[in-house]
């Protein structure tokens, strides 16, 4: 089984960190993993994205021309990556920011109101953690524990953030599990 | 807009700037410097005879913003490229626009020798004490103690050397007629900077020699500061290493009003 | 001790592998997409008591490398395409002076400033010596983080063994990818074999000199070049490295290296799942090029498909290896795009059909 | 611009919301606190600056001094002054 | 008017030919063995109202060339091997920016500082682009003073026609030799075709920009490279040049260019007088290499003998041209010796016998 | 030799020089500078811990003359090479020996930045106002009016720029602790030059920073003068552009006797 | 007919000028000619030499591994080039400086006391002109007039030396023609 | 060295004739004119400097001051001084 996920959004939305969390969690779980950030144009500003590939076998290319999962944290990202998702693929939307809906009807779309959920979990800045929680919960790529372990490894040394982030990840899980 | 009070635009878009959105970070000094250059060219009416050379650095795309002829130079070589242009078109106006890595590290030789030859070039030197484009590495101008991705504990003179003052070095050259250091971090300083740029341009138009205006310029992104703090850091800290003011002036111009 | 499996970015992997291979001197100038490597070392190497200097330019850096190497240090520099172009004179000097060092090129799109997307358009420069004179540098082209570890170690060893600069050729994708890796035990630099030719002051011995100029009218430079050539022949004889993947039953063999090989492998998986007997021949040393091995594989398969992140550079070595022993197809993507397995699949479809819808047939 | 506002002020500014990158330097430099941060993102994902058209009790209006425009790194501000 | 026959040194010949071809801008840095060229121009070009600048370095010089070319000037630089190594970044930029210029390399022995005896060991660098990226520069390899005149004119014309840097490849011997030459009438630079892409201030038109960076995510750099490749294909199609000498009845054809070809011609005379049917195939453009022509000649002769002033660079192009159509022998003299016809005679004797006493048989 | 009067050798061969004949022209300053360097090393007893970097220039073969470890540097890059060596062997003594083309033209960036980093290197800078090795082309230090093969009518500031004073530029750098200009053209000047070299060497041994001694040195061949006239030209003409004396000294050393 | 001549001596002895004179004279005469100076090592001092090849046909290589004529102006040059001369070749010696005799017995050796003859011709510094006169006279490569024309072309613009040099060249011719 | 000479002089010099390149700088700098140019070439083709051993009437002898050696570019002069 091989799963390719693209996380995308504005520079400041912590999309690369989501990818780290997933990658570290997968390593913890014993999977093969590649993480590949957009290191795009040699210029400031703009959007960021990263591709995480998980597999139980050796991973050849770390690039995903046709991702299984897309996590869009803003409108331009949705626009850019929607066409690339595999048929019947999964699209997560930052519902706090994105009003548009994907045009394709084959896709399974999961809108996540990340800002609101993060606020509920204690800090409005934890939107990316909520989202990664939701992604892992929905796809089953990582369990809650594995996701939290991934987060800790990704933030190695910054223990003071662990607690808050765990709460946000949990909120993402419950959002999927409980549908709200 | 109004029928009752007649409003007049007192601040607007200079013709020498294209109306493209810039890629610069919020609070970056590059875009202010762009505007000042553009305003000066407009006021001198020389946009259509100007040829500019941007650096490799955050301003590498300056040709998307400046509304006149421009040619890319390899990293550090803007002065050499400008020399080539000026020698073909001595009657045109040639300027380089360069960062500190470009002008004072890899381009040191080209900078010093263009100055030394007294090339009729105006150099706009953006000193932001860091490598912006490549992500915050130490620049030759990084001040002591300042953090950079390649100077993790802050710049230490023993390990990394001291900040370089290339404008003062240029001042040693006979061919350099005018060198001034300004900053982009207050209304007053910005206006002063504009005057300096104007004077530098005049040096070229009057065929006096080489001139350089060094602009202390904030890089909030790589300094890891909010724009406001970045501006304050220049005013409070950076000027200690790079005091503002005229470094050399043998133009004989009367002080501008 | 050998490390646990850690998730690490390619550039950092090279940095960590270098210090574990005993490298204590790094000189380099920033350029995307390889800045993470000097950034990593600016901390790591200094912790270990070594020297990290951000030179004022690529030229200064390669010449600091030259000095440190002459002084006996295990030393490295890194850059990306235009920066490597600037180092050519220094590399040529070091080849002539027989000074070991590791030069990392994380290639980007060109020519000129280009952009920082992956590319393999510096193949000629790396394998034929972009500097002046008859010299060669071993060129290692890893694929993926674990191999970056191995190739970094190998690069330092080859450099010292043959007293030559060695090039490690990657690209931005390879430098940016994070993958789990295991590192071997760190070497103690003091445990490395002593070099009897270095400059460290002539106490108790005759002064030594290291140079590349041979003025003598008796053909000294000629002799020196023949000596170098002999060394290059030895390297060619002994150091060719390559990987074959499922070539045994293959009717068509993709020849690709580095990032292109990874993409090709994904394509191969897809093609195999469609039922095509596709294999991969991956040169690991680009110079010396694994000519005999490729000749054998190609002769057997009768069709080779060269996939390059350039408009056709390695393909010359493939032609030189294969000649008329197999049909040769070529497909190149010049710098500036991140290529996808789908492109390669299309190319192989064309090659299998024998048409030129994607790529082209090479007449030999 | 509302009639009421205009009568009280010597000048006004127009901020190009999409050009603005939300550095908020202008907010700092306006002597009369005529600029504030918008609460909604622009298309690039920044919270742009916004001209405070309505002058509350005790506040001074825009005087068209162009200090905001002078410091604005994005040339996002046009300034108009009454004659 | 065309000049009388005058006795002139090769370097001066290039200088005089350049100004007659309309070149009014020269930027360069001294290096033996080509100093006579800038020295000549420092006077001549200034007399004509042009610009001569001795740059502070080779890098500064090539970038002055870049600027002058962008500004529309017919411009030239010159250097010798290590200096040319330093210009690689600039040449790569100019290729990417499609800027015309003539770059003269009077090669010397390498690697590194080497010495100033004739050499042809920069063949790879010249023909494959020692800089970064997928680019090529036309490379002209004259032999003797009269051809230096013609090739200098041709270099400027090709440069402008295809908007590309063009390399004129000679060596110290060629630069130092004096021979009688006739020059064509001088061109008035103002009479040259106007260029509609140059930078001279945007009066009455939209501003122009010239650059090599293509950041766009839509494959702009990719497209740019394909465009360049198309141009290179056109050049390959149209601009191949070579000379054959007595190949019609030849059983063995010597392939050599530049100074080596001159030496080879003396050898051929000797061999012919011994009764051997020896001919010469001399590539004049090294890139594009006259592959089809050589293929024909070789197929007929059944034996080719490659003689190079290097340890084996052009021989790769010969193999790519000839393949298994003829036996290929190689003999190379690396930089540092002035080779003599006697060496070549011995080599051909060996090749005719089919042994490897001098030189070696290449397995294809 | 004599049985009646006891003679003692008061001037002889320094150990730090090999007994090879030099290739320098008659009356050239290079060989005097070699001798002074050798004498200083002898007197400090550091020959066996010295590593030298010659230039590409007339002194490219200096390793045939100096009797200690030496490594060739590409033209202009001696300072970078020396930096690499010194960082590997901080306890050894590292010197560069460079001409004006090498140090002040192609090597400008390397020179300035080695100085700026305060590398513990001693630089011997042979300023002969011309490119010797390559046959008399203009150097960055060629004085105004002086003829050179690439400045046929004599150096003209408008065409060729003015002579560069790199030592004064270096003095701007914090890392440079000592810079002095001497000449090799009289008994007194030569003795002064030796003192300066000694002082520069002490700077390194005492770990103070970077130092440079600039030596005005005759090139009779390319100046096209008999040796005697070349010496006189330095004393009468060249010193006008390059006045002798200390340019910077923050060593805190007491003046040598 | 092809004739290859090497002129060799100390840097200051004007050997390159001899080559120029011969080359320009040959051009004047309508022959093909190549002149190739030693541009030897990138270093000062030492010796200088040049090779002049004359022919009525196209000249391939300008390098002479086996010269027909060697003109040695000092001892080291004789030592260096003697072994290279063709069998029965011609060797001219500067007899004012060289005491040695060539070892080979096949060679035709012509010692020319250039300093003394030059003094006779009016200036001790004209030794090289005496020698080129002797060489042309002996070999017949150029007539006296052609040699003088060659000298004038070689010294283009420096007319003030013409007279003195002509005298020296003539002295070389008479030395050969009259044997003293 | 002749006895006569030695008695009169405080010092003497030894010039390495083959090392000397005939620049004649030393001749200029000797305060007592103790050096002159040789008339015959050395092996390299230079007219080397030569120590004037014999002191003529009215001349001063070598005083071993080493000025010649200090200025000699070739380190061709060794200087000896009497005690
Ligand atoms: C030859 C070469 N070396 C390095 C680089 C990478 N590079 C691009 S910009 C830059 C420095 C940027 O810093 P600066 O000049 O200070 O400008 P800023 O970005 O801060 O405005 C570097 C090192 C390059 N493009 N080319
Ligand atoms: C890269 C490179 N460029 C140019 C040269 C040619 N070159 C050799 S020495 C020299 C300059 C010599 O002048 P200077 O440094 O003043 O030393 P001098 O010979 O006068 O002592 C030059 C340009 C070279 N060898 N390498
Ligand atoms: S990185 Fe710094 S210099 Fe570059 S655009 Fe951003 S703020 Fe400006
Ligand atoms: S200064 Fe300009 S960019 Fe910054 S917030 Fe104000 S309007 Fe926006
Ligand atoms: S013009 Fe002056 S008063 Fe008006 S908003 Fe700007 S800074 Fe404030
Ligand atoms: S050319 Fe000048 S610097 Fe070089 S050795 Fe001769 S005199 Fe000395």
């Amino acid at each position: 089984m091989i799963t390719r996920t693209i996380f995308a959004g504005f520079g400041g939305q912590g999309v690369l960190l989501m990818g780290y969390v997933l990658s570290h969690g997968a390593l913890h779980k014993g999977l093969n993993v590649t993480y590949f950030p957009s290191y795009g144009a040699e210029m400031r500003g703009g959007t960021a994205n990263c591709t995480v590939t998980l597999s139980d076998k050796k991973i050849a290319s770390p690039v995903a021309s046709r991702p299984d999962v897309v996590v869009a944290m803003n409108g331009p990202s949705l626009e850019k990556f929607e066409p690339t998702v595999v048929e019947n693929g999964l699209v997560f939307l930052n519902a706090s920011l994105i009003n548009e809906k994907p045009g394709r009807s084959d896709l399974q779309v999961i809108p996540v109101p990340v800002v609101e959920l993060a606020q509920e979990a204690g800090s409005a800045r934890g939107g990316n953690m909520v989202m990664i929680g939701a992604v892992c919960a929905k796809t089953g790529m990582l369990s809650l524990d594995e996701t939290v372990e991934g987060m800790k490894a990704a933030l190695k040394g910054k223990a003071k953030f662990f607690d808050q982030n765990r709460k946000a990840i949990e909120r993402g899980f419950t959002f999927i599990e409980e549908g709200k | 807009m109004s029928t009752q009070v007649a409003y007049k635009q007192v601040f607007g878009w200079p013709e020498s700037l294209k109306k493209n959105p810039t890629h610069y970070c919020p609070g970056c000094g590059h875009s202010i410097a762009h505007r000042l250059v553009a305003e000066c060219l407009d006021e001198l009416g020389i946009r259509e005879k100007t040829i500019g050379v941007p650096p490799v650095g955050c301003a590498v795309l300056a040709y998307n913003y400046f509304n006149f002829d421009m040619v890319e130079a390899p990293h550090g070589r803007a002065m050499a490229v400008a020399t080539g242009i000026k020698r073909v078109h001595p009657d045109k106006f040639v300027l380089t626009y360069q960062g500190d890595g470009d002008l004072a590290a890899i381009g040191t030789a080209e900078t010093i020798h263009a100055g030394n030859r007294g090339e009729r070039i105006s150099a706009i030197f953006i000193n932001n004490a860091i490598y912006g484009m490549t992500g915050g590495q130490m620049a030759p101008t990084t001040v002591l103690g300042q953090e950079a991705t390649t100077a993790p504990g802050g710049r230490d003179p023993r390990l990394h050397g001291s900040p370089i003052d290339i404008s003062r070095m240029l001042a040693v050259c006979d061919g350099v007629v005018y060198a001034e250091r300004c900053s982009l971090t207050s209304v007053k300083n910005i206006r002063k900077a504009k005057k300096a740029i104007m004077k530098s341009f005049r040096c070229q138009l009057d065929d006096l020699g080489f001139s350089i205006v060094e602009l202390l310029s904030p890089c909030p992104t790589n300094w890891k500061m909010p724009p406001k703090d970045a501006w304050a850091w220049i005013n409070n800290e950076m000027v200690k290493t790079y005091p503002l003011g005229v470094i050399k002036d043998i133009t004989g111009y009367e002080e501008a009003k | 001790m050998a490390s646990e499996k850690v998730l690490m970015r390619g550039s950092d992997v090279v940095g960590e592998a270098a210090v574990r291979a005993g490298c204590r001197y790094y000189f380099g100038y920033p350029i995307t997409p390889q800045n993470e490597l000097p950034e990593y070392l600016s901390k790591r190497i200094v912790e270990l008591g070594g020297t990290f200097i951000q030179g004022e330019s690529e030229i200064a850096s390669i010449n600091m490398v030259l000095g440190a190497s002459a002084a006996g240090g295990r030393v490295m520099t890194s850059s990306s395409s235009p920066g490597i172009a600037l180092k050519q004179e220094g590399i040529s000097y070091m080849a002539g002076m027989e000074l070991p060092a590791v030069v990392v090129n994380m290639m980007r799109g060109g020519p000129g400033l280009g952009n920082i997307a992956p590319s393999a358009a510096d193949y000629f420069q790396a394998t034929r010596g972009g500097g002046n004179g008859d010299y060669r540098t071993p060129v290692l082209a890893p694929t993926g983080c674990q191999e970056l570890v191995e190739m970094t170690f190998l690069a330092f060893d080859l450099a010292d063994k043959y007293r030559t600069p060695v090039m490690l050729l990657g690209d931005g994708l390879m430098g940016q990818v994070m993958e789990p890796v295991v590192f071997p035990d760190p070497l103690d630099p003091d445990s490395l074999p002593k070099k009897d030719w270095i400059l460290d002051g002539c106490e108790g011995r005759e002064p030594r000199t290291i140079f590349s100029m041979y003025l003598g009218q008796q053909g000294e430079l000629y002799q020196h070049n023949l000596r170098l050539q002999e060394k290059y022949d030895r390297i060619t004889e002994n150091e060719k490295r390559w990987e074959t993947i499922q070539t045994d039953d293959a009717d068509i063999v993709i020849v690709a290296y580095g990032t292109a090989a990874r993409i090709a492998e994904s394509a191969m998986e897809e093609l195999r799942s469609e039922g095509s007997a596709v294999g991969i021949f991956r040169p690991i040393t680009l110079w010396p090029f694994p000519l005999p091995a490729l000749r054998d594989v190609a002769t057997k398969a009768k069709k080779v498909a060269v996939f390059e992140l350039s408009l056709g550079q390695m393909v010359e070595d493939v032609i030189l290896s294969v000649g008329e022993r197999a049909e040769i197809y070529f497909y190149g993507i010049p710098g500036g795009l991140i290529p996808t397995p789908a492109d390669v699949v299309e190319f192989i479809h064309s090659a299998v059909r024998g048409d030129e819808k994607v790529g082209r047939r090479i007449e030999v | 611009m509302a009639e009421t506002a205009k009568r009280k002020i010597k000048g006004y500014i127009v901020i190009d919301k999409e050009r603005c990158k939300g550095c908020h330097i202008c907010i700092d430099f306006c002597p009369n606190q005529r600029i504030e941060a918008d609460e909604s993102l622009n298309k690039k994902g920044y919270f742009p600056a916004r001209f405070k058209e309505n002058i509350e009790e005790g506040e001074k209006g825009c005087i068209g001094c162009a200090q905001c425009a002078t410091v604005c790194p994005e040339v996002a501000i046009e300034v108009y002054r009454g004659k």
Side-chain angles (χ1 to χ4, degrees), chain A, chain B, chain C, chain D:
Chain A
M1 243 306 280
I2 182 158
T3 315
R4 301 179 187 273
T5 308
I6 288 184
F7 298 89
F10 286 133
Q13 291 179 309
V15 289
L16 301 188
L17 185 56
M18 282 192 275
Y20 282 148
V21 172
L22 178 56
S23 303
H24 279 283
L27 176 65
H28 179 76
K29 187 175 177 175
L31 291 172
N32 284 317
V33 57
T34 65
Y35 165 96
F36 178 54
S38 67
Y39 62 106
E42 233 179 342
M43 57 187 293
R44 312 278 110 227
T47 57
N49 72 70
C50 64
T51 305
V52 178
T53 306
L54 307 187
S55 177
D56 43 9
K57 297 214 285 296
K58 181 184 161 200
I59 300 169
S61 165
V63 182
S65 33
R66 312 239 34 212
D68 304 290
V69 181
V70 160
V71 180
M73 295 296 278
N74 65 4
S77 299
L78 177 62
E79 222 171 283
K80 179 168 178 189
F81 290 107
E82 188 201 319
T84 68
V85 191
V86 296
E87 216 165 318
N88 303 318
L90 219 54
V91 173
F92 291 83
L93 289 185
N94 171 1
S96 311
L97 198 64
I98 307 179
N99 304 319
E100 307 90 317
K101 279 263 130 74
R104 282 170 57 179
S105 56
D106 62 316
L107 301 178
Q108 193 180 346
V109 180
I110 297 105
V112 184
V114 295
V115 177
E116 295 77 359
L117 297 178
Q119 269 159 346
E120 284 179 41
S123 158
R125 305 187 56 207
N128 56 341
M129 290 295 138
V130 171
M131 184 59 105
I132 187 65
V135 170
C136 290
K138 181 76 194 171
T139 59
M141 287 191 285
L142 300 180
S143 69
L144 173 57
D145 274 0
E146 288 160 353
T147 313
V148 171
E149 285 308 312
M151 178 272 292
K152 287 183 180 167
L155 290 174
K156 197 171 174 177
K158 294 181 191 153
K160 60 177 172 178
F161 299 118
F162 288 179
D163 233 41
Q164 183 53 50
N165 283 339
R166 192 183 36 73
K167 281 187 200 146
I169 291 171
E170 282 169 2
R171 190 65 194 85
F173 267 81
T174 53
F175 173 75
I176 294 295
E177 285 158 5
E178 299 170 13
K180 56 172 185 180
Chain B
M1 230 189 175
S2 150
T3 48
Q4 292 176 301
V5 192
Y7 286 93
K8 194 182 127 221
Q9 187 174 3
V10 294
F11 198 105
W13 198 268
E15 196 188 351
S16 294
L17 273 193
K18 293 180 186 161
K19 273 226 159 185
N20 295 333
T22 70
H23 67 284
Y24 301 115
C25 306
C28 175
H30 271 301
S31 18
I32 303 183
H34 281 26
R35 194 190 74 221
L36 299 182
V37 167
E39 288 174 354
C40 291
L41 294 176
D42 280 6
E43 288 171 32
L44 292 165
I46 55 176
R47 182 183 74 84
E48 292 187 326
K49 57 178 257 187
T50 296
I51 304 165
V53 188
V56 176
C58 278
V60 65
L61 284 171
Y63 50 74
N64 284 346
Y65 314 134
F66 283 128
N67 192 24
F68 43 81
D69 280 6
M70 293 198 91
V71 54
E72 179 184 288
H75 185 38
R77 320 303 176 189
M79 298 276 188
V81 171
T83 298
I85 298 168
K86 186 73 183 184
R87 295 296 180 126
V88 174
H89 297 305
D91 53 327
K92 298 286 150 71
F93 183 82
V94 179
L95 66 88
T96 75
Y97 181 104
Q98 305 177 255
D100 39 48
D102 197 72
L103 183 141
I106 190 170
T108 306
E110 286 76 10
T111 302
I112 298 267
H113 285 274
N116 197 58
R117 279 192 308 271
E119 293 294 338
R120 274 49 177 173
I121 291 172
S122 301
I124 307 297
F125 169 29
I126 308 296
N127 181 356
N128 62 11
I130 203 93
Y131 282 19
M133 184 193 223
T134 44
Q137 295 80 16
M138 196 187 83
T141 52
T142 295
V143 308
L144 293 183
Q146 185 186 344
E147 290 252 0
T149 57
T150 49
R155 185 175 193 159
D156 169 348
R158 189 59 212 259
L159 283 175
H160 311 108
S162 297
I164 202 165
D165 191 338
I166 193 104
S167 295
R168 276 216 290 145
M169 288 182 184
L170 276 169
V172 172
C173 299
D174 288 351
V176 176
V177 293
Y178 171 58
E180 177 162 359
R181 181 150 47 221
C182 305
S183 109
L184 297 175
T185 46
S186 75
V187 174
K188 195 175 115 225
N189 286 340
I190 290 172
R191 290 187 179 145
K192 249 197 172 151
K194 183 171 168 187
K195 269 197 199 130
I197 293 170
M198 268 294 207
K199 189 159 165 183
S200 154
F201 289 5
R202 277 181 62 199
C203 290
Q204 182 177 166
L205 294 172
D206 294 345
D207 197 32
L208 299 185
F210 180 96
S211 62
I212 182 167
V213 178
E214 175 176 342
L215 299 169
L216 305 189
S217 175
C219 174
T221 301
N222 285 303
W223 297 355
K224 304 195 187 332
M225 295 178 188
K228 188 173 156 179
D229 296 0
W231 290 44
W233 187 80
I234 291 184
N235 292 335
N236 302 330
E237 292 300 321
M238 195 171 164
V239 293
K240 291 180 192 160
T241 305
Y242 301 107
L244 304 183
V246 172
I247 294 165
K248 181 176 188 179
D249 184 350
I250 54 170
T251 59
Y253 292 147
E254 309 238 324
E255 215 32 72
K257 56 272 87 152
Chain C
M1 69 281 95
S3 77
E4 301 214 335
K5 211 176 234 191
V6 288
L7 193 63
M8 226 167 154
R9 175 166 46 199
S11 291
D12 300 357
V13 167
V14 176
E16 182 59 29
V19 298
R20 283 178 186 246
C23 170
R24 289 297 178 275
Y25 304 95
Y26 175 94
F27 307 91
Y29 187 76
I31 185 167
T32 316
Q34 60 81 58
N35 291 316
E36 295 77 8
L37 170 54
E39 284 166 5
Y40 186 88
L41 287 175
S42 72
K43 219 172 151 185
R44 188 78 173 97
I45 229 170
V46 172
E47 280 167 12
L48 292 167
T51 292
F52 170 92
I53 294 185
Q54 182 179 309
E56 60 273 22
S57 70
E58 288 85 359
I59 292 183
S61 302
I62 190 70
N63 285 295
M64 291 176 191
V65 167
L66 189 160
S69 176
R74 268 212 155 174
V75 56
M76 176 158 101
T77 187
S78 66
S79 187
S80 176
S81 305
I84 297 289
L86 289 168
K87 291 184 198 278
Q88 293 303 320
E89 188 207 25
I91 294 172
S92 169
Y93 267 77
M94 293 185 70
M97 297 158 93
E98 301 198 71
L99 290 175
V102 173
V103 179
V104 180
N105 181 4
M106 292 295 190
M107 292 182 281
R108 47 189 268 168
L113 197 48
N115 73 20
I116 60 177
S119 161
D122 301 352
Y123 182 94
F124 277 146
Q125 187 196 59
T127 59
R128 266 99 175 139
N132 56 300
D134 274 307
Y135 73 95
R136 300 282 186 139
T137 51
V139 182
L140 306 180
T143 302
C145 288
Q146 190 60 48
E147 212 178 37
L148 280 173
V149 176
E150 290 150 28
M151 290 298 130
T152 303
F153 271 78
L154 179 62
F156 281 105
D157 288 343
L158 290 179
D160 277 350
K161 180 168 170 194
Y162 294 103
R163 290 187 57 185
T164 176
V166 172
M167 189 156 283
L168 196 69
L169 204 63
D171 61 26
L173 189 147
M174 215 175 288
Q176 294 294 329
V177 157
M178 289 180 84
E179 293 182 284
V181 280
V182 180
F183 289 100
D185 290 345
L187 289 178
D188 177 357
D190 293 334
S191 73
L192 293 167
K194 289 285 161 275
K195 301 170 180 173
D196 60 3
W197 48 267
I198 66 168
L199 305 189
D200 55 356
C202 61
E203 206 171 327
R205 59 165 172 80
E206 283 301 293
R208 293 182 187 139
T209 55
I210 297 180
F211 54 87
S212 75
M213 188 175 71
Y214 290 84
L215 291 183
Q217 302 292 304
Q218 310 314 316
E220 282 82 350
L221 180 60
Y222 174 86
Q223 296 301 339
H224 174 58
N225 266 298
L226 292 183
R227 264 195 317 276
L228 289 177
Q229 185 60 40
E230 222 179 85
K231 173 166 89 176
Y232 298 143
D233 289 344
R234 257 186 299 131
I235 299 176
T236 304
E237 186 60 31
N238 300 323
E239 305 297 347
K240 293 184 292 289
R241 280 169 175 78
W242 67 91
E243 186 191 18
T244 53
I245 310 175
Q246 304 199 34
T247 50
D248 283 350
D249 68 336
D251 303 326
I252 182 163
V253 170
I254 307 177
V255 187
Y257 70 93
T259 288
R262 268 190 101 147
I263 313 273
E265 208 180 326
S266 280
M268 184 193 76
E269 285 165 11
E270 202 172 321
L271 289 157
R272 284 255 164 200
S273 76
E274 289 175 1
S276 306
V278 178
I280 290 185
F281 183 93
R282 175 167 75 89
I284 295 176
T285 52
L286 303 182
W287 188 85
F289 192 79
L291 181 148
L294 174 57
R295 182 168 286 183
D296 290 349
V297 166
T299 307
K300 222 167 123 224
K302 295 272 175 285
K303 225 175 221 191
V304 299
V306 182
F307 172 53
E308 278 190 78
L309 301 189
S310 92
L311 284 172
Q313 302 194 10
M314 180 185 64
V315 67
E316 287 196 3
D317 280 329
V318 175
I319 302 173
L320 290 170
S321 305
V322 173
E324 300 181 39
R325 293 169 187 80
E327 286 179 23
I328 303 175
Y329 290 83
F330 171 76
Y331 177 51
I333 294 188
L337 272 190
I338 297 191
T340 64
D343 298 325
V344 182
V345 169
E346 285 310 311
F347 166 45
I348 301 302
H349 283 160
S350 268
V352 167
R353 287 192 305 264
D355 68 29
E356 301 196 323
K357 228 181 103 199
V358 174
R360 60 188 163 88
R361 169 89 188 268
I362 303 279
E363 282 189 64
V364 180
Chain D
M1 190 157 287
E3 284 304 299
T4 47
K6 239 178 270 136
R7 245 173 266 124
K8 282 189 197 161
I9 58 174
K10 293 207 212 123
Y12 68 94
I13 65 172
V14 178
I15 299 178
D16 182 334
K17 179 179 161 180
E18 292 307 333
R19 198 170 169 93
C20 170
K21 289 191 182 142
C23 73
H24 300 170
I25 292 278
C26 55
I27 298 180
D28 241 53
F29 274 90
C30 174
N32 298 336
Q33 289 78 44
R34 297 320 313 151
I35 317 182
E36 63 188 358
D38 208 328
E39 303 91 34
S40 62
L41 293 176
N42 65 8
K43 290 205 189 103
K44 283 215 196 82
Y46 299 117
F47 292 102
R50 181 168 63 192
F51 184 46
K52 287 200 267 183
E53 294 189 9
N54 299 324
I55 299 155
E56 312 268 306
E57 218 27 64
E59 284 184 353
K60 284 192 191 156
C62 170
I63 52 175
C65 68
Q67 303 212 24
C68 55
T70 304
V71 298
C72 171
E74 295 303 321
V75 207
I77 306 180
E78 287 173 5
V79 182
Y80 296 86
R81 203 169 358 197
K83 291 221 171 130

